[in-house]
Coordinates of all heavy atoms in Angstrom, one line a residue:
M1 N 0.8 -1.2 0.0 CA 0.0 0.0 0.0 C 0.9 1.2 0.0 O 0.7 2.1 -0.8 CB -0.9 0.0 1.2 CG -1.9 1.1 1.3 SD -3.0 1.2 -0.2 CE -3.7 2.8 0.0
K2 N 1.9 1.3 0.9 CA 2.8 2.4 0.9 C 3.5 2.6 -0.4 O 3.6 3.8 -0.8 CB 3.8 2.2 2.0 CG 3.5 2.9 3.3 CD 4.8 3.5 4.0 CE 4.4 4.5 5.0 NZ 4.6 4.0 6.4
K3 N 3.9 1.5 -1.0 CA 4.6 1.6 -2.3 C 3.6 2.2 -3.4 O 4.0 3.0 -4.2 CB 5.0 0.2 -2.8 CG 6.5 0.0 -2.4 CD 7.0 -1.3 -3.1 CE 8.4 -1.6 -2.6 NZ 8.7 -3.0 -2.6
L4 N 2.4 1.8 -3.3 CA 1.4 2.3 -4.3 C 1.2 3.8 -4.1 O 1.2 4.6 -5.1 CB 0.0 1.6 -4.0 CG -0.5 0.6 -5.1 CD1 -1.8 0.1 -4.7 CD2 -0.5 1.3 -6.4
V5 N 1.1 4.2 -2.9 CA 0.9 5.7 -2.6 C 2.1 6.4 -3.1 O 2.0 7.5 -3.7 CB 0.7 5.9 -1.1 CG1 0.7 7.4 -0.7 CG2 -0.6 5.3 -0.6
L6 N 3.3 5.9 -2.8 CA 4.5 6.5 -3.2 C 4.6 6.7 -4.7 O 4.9 7.7 -5.3 CB 5.7 5.7 -2.7 CG 7.1 6.4 -2.8 CD1 7.1 7.6 -1.9 CD2 8.2 5.5 -2.4
A7 N 4.2 5.6 -5.4 CA 4.2 5.6 -6.9 C 3.2 6.7 -7.4 O 3.5 7.5 -8.3 CB 3.9 4.2 -7.4
A8 N 2.1 6.7 -6.8 CA 1.1 7.7 -7.2 C 1.5 9.1 -6.9 O 1.3 10.0 -7.7 CB -0.3 7.4 -6.4
T9 N 2.2 9.3 -5.8 CA 2.7 10.6 -5.4 C 3.8 11.1 -6.4 O 3.7 12.2 -6.9 CB 3.4 10.6 -4.0 OG1 2.4 10.0 -3.1 CG2 3.8 11.9 -3.5
I10 N 4.7 10.2 -6.8 CA 5.7 10.5 -7.7 C 5.1 10.8 -9.1 O 5.4 11.8 -9.7 CB 6.7 9.4 -7.9 CG1 7.5 9.3 -6.6 CG2 7.7 9.6 -9.0 CD1 8.3 8.0 -6.4
A11 N 4.1 10.0 -9.5 CA 3.4 10.2 -10.8 C 2.7 11.6 -10.8 O 2.9 12.4 -11.8 CB 2.4 9.1 -11.0
L12 N 2.0 11.9 -9.7 CA 1.4 13.2 -9.6 C 2.3 14.4 -9.6 O 2.1 15.4 -10.3 CB 0.5 13.3 -8.3 CG -0.8 12.5 -8.4 CD1 -1.5 12.4 -7.0 CD2 -1.8 13.1 -9.4
A13 N 3.4 14.2 -8.8 CA 4.4 15.3 -8.8 C 5.0 15.5 -10.1 O 5.3 16.7 -10.5 CB 5.5 14.9 -7.8
A14 N 5.2 14.4 -10.9 CA 5.8 14.5 -12.2 C 4.9 15.3 -13.2 O 5.4 16.1 -14.0 CB 6.1 13.2 -12.8
T15 N 3.6 15.2 -13.0 CA 2.7 15.9 -13.9 C 2.3 17.3 -13.3 O 1.6 18.0 -13.9 CB 1.4 15.1 -14.1 OG1 0.8 14.8 -12.8 CG2 1.6 13.8 -14.8
G16 N 2.8 17.6 -12.1 CA 2.6 18.9 -11.6 C 1.2 19.0 -10.9 O 0.8 20.1 -10.5
T17 N 0.5 17.9 -10.8 CA -0.8 17.9 -10.1 C -0.6 18.0 -8.6 O 0.4 17.6 -8.1 CB -1.5 16.6 -10.4 OG1 -1.4 16.3 -11.8 CG2 -3.0 16.7 -10.0
T18 N -1.5 18.7 -7.9 CA -1.4 18.8 -6.5 C -1.4 17.4 -5.8 O -2.2 16.6 -6.2 CB -2.6 19.6 -5.9 OG1 -2.7 20.8 -6.7 CG2 -2.4 19.9 -4.4
V19 N -0.4 17.2 -5.0 CA -0.4 15.9 -4.3 C -1.3 15.9 -3.1 O -1.1 16.6 -2.2 CB 1.1 15.6 -3.9 CG1 1.2 14.2 -3.2 CG2 2.0 15.6 -5.1
A20 N -2.3 15.0 -3.2 CA -3.3 15.0 -2.1 C -2.8 14.8 -0.7 O -3.2 15.5 0.2 CB -4.4 14.0 -2.5
L21 N -1.9 13.9 -0.6 CA -1.4 13.6 0.8 C -0.6 14.7 1.5 O -0.7 14.8 2.7 CB -0.6 12.3 0.8 CG -1.4 11.0 0.7 CD1 -0.5 9.8 0.6 CD2 -2.3 10.9 1.9
A22 N 0.1 15.4 0.7 CA 0.9 16.5 1.3 C 0.2 17.8 1.2 O 0.7 18.9 1.5 CB 2.2 16.6 0.5
D23 N -1.1 17.8 0.8 CA -1.9 19.0 0.7 C -2.6 19.3 2.0 O -3.5 18.6 2.4 CB -2.9 18.8 -0.5 CG -3.8 19.9 -0.7 OD1 -3.8 20.9 0.1 OD2 -4.6 19.9 -1.6
G24 N -2.2 20.4 2.6 CA -2.7 20.8 3.9 C -4.2 20.9 3.9 O -4.9 20.5 4.9
K25 N -4.8 21.5 2.9 CA -6.2 21.7 2.8 C -7.0 20.4 2.9 O -7.9 20.2 3.7 CB -6.6 22.5 1.6 CG -8.1 22.9 1.6 CD -8.5 23.7 0.4 CE -9.9 24.1 0.5 NZ -10.3 24.9 -0.7
S26 N -6.6 19.4 2.0 CA -7.3 18.1 2.0 C -7.1 17.3 3.3 O -8.0 16.7 3.8 CB -7.0 17.3 0.8 OG -5.7 17.0 0.7
T27 N -5.9 17.4 3.9 CA -5.6 16.8 5.2 C -6.5 17.4 6.2 O -7.1 16.7 7.0 CB -4.1 16.9 5.6 OG1 -3.3 16.3 4.6 CG2 -3.9 16.2 6.9
Y28 N -6.6 18.7 6.2 CA -7.5 19.4 7.2 C -8.9 18.9 7.0 O -9.5 18.6 8.0 CB -7.4 20.9 6.9 CG -8.6 21.7 7.6 CD1 -8.6 21.9 9.0 CD2 -9.7 22.1 6.8 CE1 -9.6 22.5 9.6 CE2 -10.7 22.7 7.4 CZ -10.7 22.9 8.8 OH -11.8 23.5 9.4
Q29 N -9.4 18.8 5.8 CA -10.8 18.4 5.6 C -11.0 17.0 6.1 O -12.1 16.7 6.6 CB -11.1 18.6 4.1 CG -11.3 20.1 3.8 CD -11.4 20.3 2.3 OE1 -10.9 19.5 1.5 NE2 -11.9 21.5 1.9
Q30 N -10.0 16.2 5.9 CA -10.2 14.8 6.3 C -10.0 14.5 7.8 O -10.7 13.7 8.3 CB -9.2 13.9 5.5 CG -9.5 13.8 4.0 CD -8.3 13.1 3.3 OE1 -7.7 12.2 3.8 NE2 -8.0 13.7 2.1
A31 N -9.0 15.2 8.3 CA -8.6 14.8 9.7 C -8.8 15.9 10.8 O -8.8 15.6 12.0 CB -7.1 14.5 9.7
C32 N -9.1 17.1 10.4 CA -9.1 18.2 11.4 C -10.5 18.9 11.4 O -10.9 19.5 12.4 CB -8.0 19.2 11.1 SG -6.5 18.5 10.5
F33 N -11.2 18.8 10.3 CA -12.4 19.6 10.2 C -13.5 19.2 11.2 O -14.2 20.1 11.8 CB -13.0 19.4 8.8 CG -14.4 20.1 8.6 CD1 -14.5 21.4 8.3 CD2 -15.6 19.3 8.8 CE1 -15.7 22.0 8.2 CE2 -16.8 20.0 8.7 CZ -16.9 21.3 8.4
A34 N -13.5 17.9 11.6 CA -14.5 17.4 12.5 C -14.5 18.3 13.8 O -15.6 18.6 14.4 CB -14.3 16.0 12.9
C35 N -13.3 18.7 14.3 CA -13.2 19.6 15.4 C -13.0 21.0 15.1 O -13.7 21.9 15.5 CB -12.1 19.1 16.3 SG -12.4 17.5 17.1
H36 N -12.0 21.3 14.2 CA -11.6 22.7 13.9 C -12.6 23.4 13.0 O -12.5 24.6 12.8 CB -10.2 22.7 13.4 CG -9.2 22.4 14.5 ND1 -8.9 23.4 15.5 CD2 -8.5 21.3 14.8 CE1 -8.0 22.8 16.3 NE2 -7.8 21.6 16.0
G37 N -13.4 22.6 12.3 CA -14.4 23.2 11.4 C -15.7 23.6 12.2 O -16.4 24.5 11.7
T38 N -15.9 23.0 13.3 CA -17.2 23.1 14.0 C -17.0 23.7 15.4 O -18.0 24.1 16.0 CB -17.9 21.7 14.1 OG1 -17.0 20.9 14.9 CG2 -18.1 21.1 12.8
G39 N -15.8 23.6 15.9 CA -15.6 24.0 17.3 C -15.9 22.9 18.3 O -15.9 23.1 19.5
A40 N -16.1 21.7 17.8 CA -16.4 20.5 18.6 C -15.2 20.3 19.6 O -14.1 20.6 19.2 CB -16.6 19.2 17.8
A41 N -15.5 19.8 20.8 CA -14.5 19.5 21.8 C -13.8 20.8 22.3 O -12.7 20.7 22.9 CB -13.5 18.5 21.3
G42 N -14.3 22.0 21.9 CA -13.7 23.2 22.3 C -12.6 23.6 21.4 O -11.8 24.5 21.8
A43 N -12.4 23.0 20.3 CA -11.3 23.3 19.4 C -11.5 24.7 18.8 O -12.6 25.1 18.5 CB -11.3 22.3 18.2
P44 N -10.4 25.5 18.7 CA -10.4 26.8 18.0 C -10.8 26.6 16.6 O -10.2 25.8 15.9 CB -9.0 27.3 18.2 CG -8.1 26.1 18.4 CD -9.0 25.1 19.1
K45 N -11.8 27.3 16.1 CA -12.4 27.1 14.7 C -11.5 27.8 13.7 O -10.9 28.8 13.9 CB -13.8 27.7 14.6 CG -14.8 26.8 15.1 CD -16.2 27.5 15.2 CE -17.0 27.5 14.0 NZ -18.3 28.0 14.2
L46 N -11.4 27.1 12.5 CA -10.7 27.7 11.4 C -11.3 29.0 11.1 O -12.5 29.2 11.0 CB -10.8 26.7 10.2 CG -10.1 27.2 8.9 CD1 -8.7 26.5 8.8 CD2 -10.9 26.9 7.7
G47 N -10.4 30.0 10.9 CA -10.8 31.4 10.5 C -11.2 32.2 11.7 O -11.5 33.4 11.5
D48 N -11.3 31.7 12.9 CA -11.7 32.4 14.1 C -10.4 33.1 14.6 O -9.6 32.5 15.4 CB -12.3 31.5 15.2 CG -12.7 32.3 16.4 OD1 -12.3 33.4 16.6 OD2 -13.5 31.7 17.2
K49 N -10.2 34.3 14.2 CA -8.9 35.0 14.5 C -8.7 35.2 15.9 O -7.6 35.1 16.5 CB -8.8 36.3 13.7 CG -8.7 36.1 12.2 CD -8.5 37.4 11.4 CE -8.4 37.1 10.0 NZ -9.0 37.9 9.1
A50 N -9.8 35.5 16.7 CA -9.6 35.8 18.1 C -9.2 34.5 18.8 O -8.3 34.5 19.7 CB -11.0 36.3 18.7
A51 N -9.8 33.4 18.4 CA -9.5 32.1 19.1 C -8.0 31.7 18.8 O -7.4 31.0 19.5 CB -10.4 31.0 18.6
W52 N -7.5 32.1 17.6 CA -6.2 31.7 17.2 C -5.1 32.7 17.6 O -3.9 32.3 17.5 CB -6.1 31.4 15.7 CG -6.7 30.1 15.4 CD1 -8.0 29.8 15.0 CD2 -6.0 28.8 15.5 NE1 -8.1 28.4 14.8 CE2 -7.0 27.8 15.1 CE3 -4.7 28.4 15.9 CZ2 -6.7 26.4 15.1 CZ3 -4.4 27.0 15.9 CH2 -5.4 26.1 15.5
A53 N -5.5 33.9 17.9 CA -4.5 35.0 18.1 C -3.3 34.6 19.0 O -2.2 34.7 18.7 CB -5.2 36.3 18.6
S54 N -3.7 34.1 20.2 CA -2.6 33.8 21.2 C -1.9 32.5 20.8 O -0.7 32.4 21.1 CB -3.2 33.6 22.6 OG -4.1 32.5 22.6
R55 N -2.5 31.7 20.0 CA -1.8 30.4 19.6 C -0.8 30.7 18.5 O 0.3 30.2 18.5 CB -2.9 29.4 19.1 CG -3.9 29.1 20.1 CD -4.9 28.1 19.6 NE -6.0 27.9 20.5 CZ -6.0 27.0 21.5 NH1 -5.0 26.3 21.7 NH2 -7.0 26.9 22.3
V56 N -1.2 31.6 17.5 CA -0.3 31.8 16.4 C 0.9 32.7 16.8 O 1.9 32.8 16.1 CB -1.0 32.4 15.1 CG1 -2.0 31.5 14.6 CG2 -1.6 33.8 15.4
K57 N 0.8 33.3 18.0 CA 2.0 34.0 18.6 C 3.2 33.1 18.9 O 4.3 33.4 18.9 CB 1.6 34.8 19.8 CG 1.0 36.1 19.6 CD 1.0 36.9 20.8 CE -0.1 38.0 20.8 NZ -1.0 37.9 21.9
Q58 N 2.8 31.8 19.1 CA 3.9 30.8 19.3 C 4.5 30.6 17.9 O 4.0 30.9 16.9 CB 3.3 29.5 19.8 CG 2.3 29.6 21.0 CD 1.6 28.3 21.3 OE1 2.0 27.5 22.1 NE2 0.5 28.0 20.5
D59 N 5.7 30.0 17.9 CA 6.3 29.8 16.6 C 5.7 28.5 15.9 O 5.0 27.7 16.6 CB 7.8 29.7 16.6 CG 8.4 28.7 17.5 OD1 7.6 27.8 17.9 OD2 9.6 28.8 17.9
M60 N 5.8 28.4 14.6 CA 5.2 27.3 13.9 C 5.7 25.9 14.5 O 4.9 25.0 14.5 CB 5.6 27.4 12.4 CG 4.7 28.3 11.6 SD 3.0 28.0 11.8 CE 2.8 26.6 10.6
A61 N 7.0 25.9 14.9 CA 7.5 24.6 15.3 C 6.7 24.1 16.6 O 6.4 22.9 16.7 CB 9.0 24.7 15.7
T62 N 6.3 25.1 17.4 CA 5.6 24.7 18.6 C 4.2 24.2 18.2 O 3.7 23.2 18.7 CB 5.4 26.0 19.6 OG1 6.7 26.4 19.9 CG2 4.7 25.6 20.8
L63 N 3.5 25.0 17.3 CA 2.2 24.6 16.9 C 2.2 23.2 16.2 O 1.3 22.3 16.5 CB 1.6 25.6 15.9 CG 1.3 26.9 16.5 CD1 0.9 27.9 15.4 CD2 0.1 26.8 17.4
E64 N 3.3 22.9 15.4 CA 3.4 21.6 14.8 C 3.6 20.5 15.8 O 3.0 19.5 15.7 CB 4.6 21.7 13.8 CG 4.3 22.5 12.6 CD 5.6 22.8 11.7 OE1 6.7 22.4 12.1 OE2 5.4 23.5 10.7
T65 N 4.5 20.8 16.8 CA 4.7 19.8 17.8 C 3.4 19.5 18.6 O 3.1 18.3 18.9 CB 5.8 20.2 18.8 OG1 7.0 20.5 18.0 CG2 6.1 19.2 19.8
H66 N 2.7 20.5 18.9 CA 1.4 20.3 19.6 C 0.4 19.5 18.8 O -0.3 18.7 19.3 CB 0.8 21.7 20.0 CG 1.5 22.4 21.1 ND1 1.3 23.7 21.5 CD2 2.4 21.9 22.0 CE1 2.0 24.0 22.5 NE2 2.8 23.0 22.8
A67 N 0.4 19.7 17.5 CA -0.5 19.0 16.6 C -0.1 17.6 16.5 O -0.9 16.6 16.4 CB -0.6 19.7 15.3
I68 N 1.2 17.3 16.5 CA 1.8 16.0 16.2 C 1.7 15.2 17.5 O 1.3 14.0 17.5 CB 3.2 16.0 15.7 CG1 3.2 16.6 14.2 CG2 3.9 14.6 15.7 CD1 4.5 17.0 13.7
K69 N 2.2 15.8 18.6 CA 2.3 15.0 19.9 C 1.0 15.2 20.8 O 0.9 14.4 21.8 CB 3.5 15.5 20.7 CG 4.8 15.5 19.9 CD 5.8 14.6 20.6 CE 7.1 14.6 19.9 NZ 7.4 13.4 19.2
G70 N 0.1 16.1 20.4 CA -1.0 16.4 21.3 C -0.7 17.5 22.2 O 0.4 17.9 22.5
F71 N -1.8 18.1 22.7 CA -1.6 19.3 23.5 C -2.9 19.6 24.3 O -4.0 19.4 23.8 CB -1.4 20.5 22.6 CG -1.4 21.9 23.3 CD1 -0.4 22.2 24.2 CD2 -2.4 22.8 23.0 CE1 -0.4 23.4 24.8 CE2 -2.4 24.0 23.6 CZ -1.4 24.3 24.5
S72 N -2.7 19.9 25.6 CA -3.9 20.3 26.4 C -3.5 21.5 27.2 O -2.6 21.5 28.1 CB -4.2 19.2 27.3 OG -5.3 19.5 28.2
S73 N -4.2 22.7 27.0 CA -3.9 23.9 27.7 C -4.6 23.9 29.1 O -4.2 24.6 30.0 CB -4.3 25.1 26.9 OG -5.7 25.1 26.7
K74 N -5.7 23.2 29.2 CA -6.3 23.1 30.5 C -7.2 21.8 30.6 O -7.5 21.2 29.5 CB -7.2 24.3 30.7 CG -8.2 24.6 29.7 CD -9.1 25.8 30.0 CE -10.0 26.1 28.9 NZ -10.7 27.4 29.0
P75 N -7.5 21.4 31.8 CA -8.3 20.1 31.9 C -9.6 20.2 31.1 O -10.2 21.2 31.1 CB -8.6 20.0 33.4 CG -7.5 20.9 34.1 CD -7.2 22.0 33.1
G76 N -9.9 19.1 30.4 CA -11.1 19.0 29.6 C -10.9 19.5 28.2 O -11.8 19.3 27.4
L77 N -9.8 20.1 27.9 CA -9.5 20.5 26.5 C -8.3 19.7 26.0 O -7.3 19.6 26.7 CB -9.1 22.0 26.6 CG -9.5 22.9 25.3 CD1 -10.9 22.7 25.0 CD2 -9.1 24.3 25.6
M78 N -8.5 19.1 24.9 CA -7.4 18.2 24.4 C -7.3 18.2 22.9 O -8.3 17.9 22.2 CB -7.7 16.8 24.9 CG -6.7 15.8 24.5 SD -5.1 16.0 25.3 CE -4.0 15.1 24.2
M79 N -6.2 18.6 22.4 CA -5.8 18.3 21.0 C -5.2 16.9 20.9 O -4.1 16.7 21.5 CB -4.9 19.4 20.5 CG -4.2 19.1 19.2 SD -5.3 19.0 17.8 CE -4.4 18.0 16.7
P80 N -5.9 15.9 20.4 CA -5.3 14.6 20.4 C -4.1 14.5 19.4 O -4.1 15.2 18.4 CB -6.4 13.7 19.9 CG -7.5 14.6 19.3 CD -7.2 16.0 19.7
P81 N -3.1 13.7 19.7 CA -2.0 13.6 18.8 C -2.4 13.3 17.3 O -3.3 12.4 17.1 CB -1.2 12.4 19.3 CG -1.5 12.3 20.8 CD -3.0 12.8 20.9
K82 N -2.0 14.1 16.4 CA -2.4 14.0 15.0 C -3.9 14.0 14.8 O -4.4 13.5 13.8 CB -1.7 12.8 14.4 CG -0.2 12.9 14.3 CD 0.4 11.8 13.5 CE 1.9 12.0 13.3 NZ 2.6 11.0 12.5
G83 N -4.6 14.6 15.7 CA -6.1 14.6 15.6 C -6.6 13.2 15.6 O -7.7 13.0 15.1
G84 N -5.9 12.3 16.2 CA -6.3 10.9 16.2 C -6.0 10.1 15.0 O -6.2 8.9 14.9
R85 N -5.3 10.8 14.0 CA -5.0 10.1 12.7 C -3.5 9.7 12.7 O -2.7 10.3 12.0 CB -5.4 11.0 11.6 CG -6.9 11.1 11.3 CD -7.5 9.9 10.7 NE -6.8 9.5 9.5 CZ -7.1 10.0 8.3 NH1 -8.1 10.8 8.1 NH2 -6.4 9.6 7.2
M86 N -3.2 8.7 13.5 CA -1.8 8.2 13.6 C -1.3 7.7 12.2 O -0.1 7.5 12.1 CB -1.6 7.2 14.7 CG -2.0 7.7 16.1 SD -1.4 9.4 16.5 CE 0.3 8.9 16.8
D87 N -2.2 7.4 11.3 CA -1.7 7.0 10.0 C -1.1 8.1 9.1 O -0.4 7.9 8.1 CB -2.9 6.4 9.2 CG -4.0 7.3 9.0 OD1 -4.4 8.0 10.0 OD2 -4.5 7.5 7.9
L88 N -1.3 9.4 9.5 CA -0.8 10.5 8.8 C 0.7 10.7 9.2 O 1.1 10.6 10.3 CB -1.6 11.7 9.0 CG -3.1 11.7 8.5 CD1 -3.8 12.9 9.0 CD2 -3.1 11.5 7.0
S89 N 1.5 11.2 8.2 CA 2.9 11.5 8.5 C 3.0 12.8 9.2 O 2.1 13.7 9.1 CB 3.7 11.5 7.2 OG 3.3 12.7 6.4
D90 N 4.1 13.1 9.8 CA 4.4 14.4 10.4 C 4.3 15.5 9.3 O 3.8 16.6 9.6 CB 5.8 14.4 11.0 CG 5.9 13.6 12.3 OD1 4.9 12.9 12.6 OD2 7.0 13.6 12.9
A91 N 4.7 15.2 8.1 CA 4.7 16.2 7.0 C 3.2 16.6 6.7 O 2.9 17.7 6.5 CB 5.4 15.7 5.8
D92 N 2.3 15.5 6.7 CA 0.9 15.8 6.5 C 0.4 16.7 7.5 O -0.4 17.7 7.2 CB 0.1 14.5 6.5 CG 0.4 13.6 5.3 OD1 0.7 14.1 4.3 OD2 0.3 12.3 5.5
I93 N 0.7 16.5 8.8 CA 0.2 17.3 9.9 C 0.7 18.7 9.8 O 0.0 19.7 10.0 CB 0.6 16.7 11.3 CG1 0.0 15.2 11.4 CG2 0.1 17.5 12.4 CD1 -1.5 15.1 11.3
K94 N 2.0 18.8 9.5 CA 2.6 20.2 9.4 C 1.9 21.0 8.3 O 1.7 22.2 8.4 CB 4.1 20.1 9.1 CG 4.9 19.6 10.3 CD 6.4 19.5 10.0 CE 7.1 18.9 11.2 NZ 8.6 18.7 10.9
A95 N 1.6 20.3 7.2 CA 0.9 21.0 6.0 C -0.5 21.4 6.5 O -0.9 22.5 6.1 CB 0.8 20.1 4.8
A96 N -1.1 20.6 7.3 CA -2.5 21.0 7.8 C -2.4 22.1 8.7 O -3.2 23.0 8.7 CB -3.1 19.7 8.4
V97 N -1.4 22.1 9.6 CA -1.2 23.2 10.6 C -1.0 24.5 9.8 O -1.6 25.6 10.1 CB 0.0 23.0 11.5 CG1 0.3 24.2 12.3 CG2 -0.3 21.8 12.4
A98 N -0.1 24.5 8.8 CA 0.1 25.7 8.0 C -1.2 26.2 7.3 O -1.4 27.4 7.3 CB 1.2 25.4 6.9
Y99 N -2.0 25.2 6.8 CA -3.2 25.6 6.2 C -4.1 26.3 7.2 O -4.7 27.4 7.0 CB -3.9 24.4 5.6 CG -5.3 24.7 5.1 CD1 -5.5 25.4 3.9 CD2 -6.5 24.4 5.8 CE1 -6.7 25.8 3.4 CE2 -7.7 24.7 5.4 CZ -7.9 25.4 4.2 OH -9.1 25.7 3.7
I100 N -4.3 25.7 8.4 CA -5.2 26.3 9.5 C -4.7 27.7 9.9 O -5.4 28.6 9.9 CB -5.2 25.3 10.7 CG1 -5.9 24.0 10.3 CG2 -5.9 26.0 11.9 CD1 -5.9 23.0 11.5
V101 N -3.4 27.8 10.1 CA -2.8 29.0 10.6 C -3.0 30.1 9.5 O -3.4 31.2 9.9 CB -1.3 28.8 11.0 CG1 -0.6 30.2 11.1 CG2 -1.2 28.0 12.3
N102 N -2.7 29.8 8.3 CA -2.9 30.8 7.2 C -4.3 31.3 7.1 O -4.6 32.4 6.7 CB -2.4 30.2 5.9 CG -0.9 30.2 5.8 OD1 -0.2 31.0 6.5 ND2 -0.3 29.2 5.1
Q103 N -5.3 30.4 7.4 CA -6.7 30.8 7.3 C -7.2 31.5 8.5 O -8.3 32.0 8.6 CB -7.6 29.5 7.1 CG -7.2 28.7 5.9 CD -7.6 29.4 4.6 OE1 -8.6 29.9 4.4 NE2 -6.6 29.4 3.7
S104 N -6.4 31.5 9.6 CA -6.9 32.0 10.9 C -6.1 33.1 11.5 O -6.3 33.4 12.7 CB -6.9 30.8 11.9 OG -7.5 29.6 11.3
K105 N -5.3 33.8 10.7 CA -4.6 35.0 11.3 C -4.8 36.2 10.4 O -5.3 36.1 9.3 CB -3.2 34.7 11.6 CG -2.3 34.4 10.3 CD -0.9 34.2 10.7 CE -0.1 34.0 9.4 NZ 1.3 33.7 9.7
Ligands
HEC1 C1 -11.0 15.6 18.4 C2 -11.0 17.0 18.1 C3 -9.8 17.5 17.3 C4 -9.3 17.1 16.1 C5 -9.8 15.9 15.2 C6 -8.2 18.0 15.8 N1 -8.0 18.9 16.8 FE1 -6.5 20.3 16.9 N2 -7.3 21.0 18.7 C7 -8.4 20.4 19.3 C8 -8.6 21.1 20.6 C9 -9.7 20.9 21.6 C10 -7.6 22.1 20.7 C11 -7.3 23.1 21.8 C12 -6.4 22.4 22.8 C13 -6.1 23.3 24.0 O1 -5.9 24.5 23.8 O2 -5.9 22.8 25.1 C14 -6.8 22.0 19.4 C15 -5.7 22.8 19.1 C16 -4.9 22.7 18.0 C17 -3.8 23.5 17.6 C18 -3.3 24.7 18.5 C19 -2.2 24.2 19.4 C20 -1.7 25.3 20.3 O3 -0.5 25.3 20.6 O4 -2.4 26.2 20.7 C21 -3.4 23.1 16.4 C22 -2.2 23.7 15.7 C23 -4.2 22.0 16.0 N3 -5.1 21.8 17.0 C24 -4.0 21.4 14.8 C25 -4.8 20.3 14.4 C26 -4.6 19.6 13.1 C27 -3.6 19.9 12.1 C28 -5.6 18.6 13.1 C29 -5.8 17.6 12.0 C30 -4.7 16.8 11.6 C31 -6.4 18.7 14.3 N4 -5.9 19.7 15.1 C32 -7.4 17.8 14.6 C33 -9.2 19.4 18.9 C34 -9.0 18.6 17.7

């Protein structure tokens, strides 16, 4: 399966087509929207500048680490590691973080 995905990725890259797996927007839609699109579980919503203001003041590396390893700023609030999608690569998560941050500041 991994080999197939790799082959498809290379084929797409060669034709200049957007590579779905490394595309932050599609990763966001598949893995992050459930919470960050709706505010479920207290998640800061995509595009909610006020909710993201203090978060984007941190550097990108911190936000990426929090998204990859998980993060809880207070009891009852929890960003699960990789949004629960442990099948996604760190690069996929970083691309999704970049997408969210760019839409939210
Ligand atoms: C099950 C719900 C849920 C899913 C799915 C989810 N998140 Fe989160 N996320 C949260 C919550 C809740 C917080 C706020 C945590 C806090 O501040 O304590 C959060 C916070 C964050 C933050 C801010 C961290 C910080 O330092 O302030 C980032 C970045 C983030 N999520 C990225 C993602 C990405 C990328 C995905 C998809 C791969 C994702 N999240 C999927 C619930 C979710």
Side-chain angles (χ1 to χ4, degrees):
M1 184 59 192
K2 261 219 163 103
K3 264 191 183 149
L4 249 181
V5 171
L6 192 64
T9 306
I10 292 166
L12 283 171
T15 55
T17 315
T18 310
V19 180
L21 282 177
D23 176 356
K25 185 176 181 183
S26 62
T27 301
Y28 163 77
Q29 286 166 341
Q30 290 167 39
C32 322
F33 176 83
C35 295
H36 289 281
T38 61
K45 276 168 86 170
L46 182 95
D48 183 341
K49 293 186 176 140
W52 280 98
S54 64
R55 300 178 190 275
V56 299
K57 275 194 206 129
Q58 309 173 97
D59 57 19
M60 277 305 280
T62 304
L63 290 170
E64 289 168 357
T65 304
H66 285 168
I68 291 167
K69 305 241 186 252
F71 172 67
S72 177
S73 63
K74 57 179 177 191
L77 209 55
M78 178 69 198
M79 166 64 204
K82 295 191 172 181
R85 287 287 306 271
M86 299 313 285
D87 59 311
L88 294 174
S89 71
D90 289 3
D92 290 331
I93 302 298
K94 287 179 187 176
V97 172
Y99 174 74
I100 293 174
V101 166
N102 284 331
Q103 301 292 314
S104 309
K105 65 175 184 187

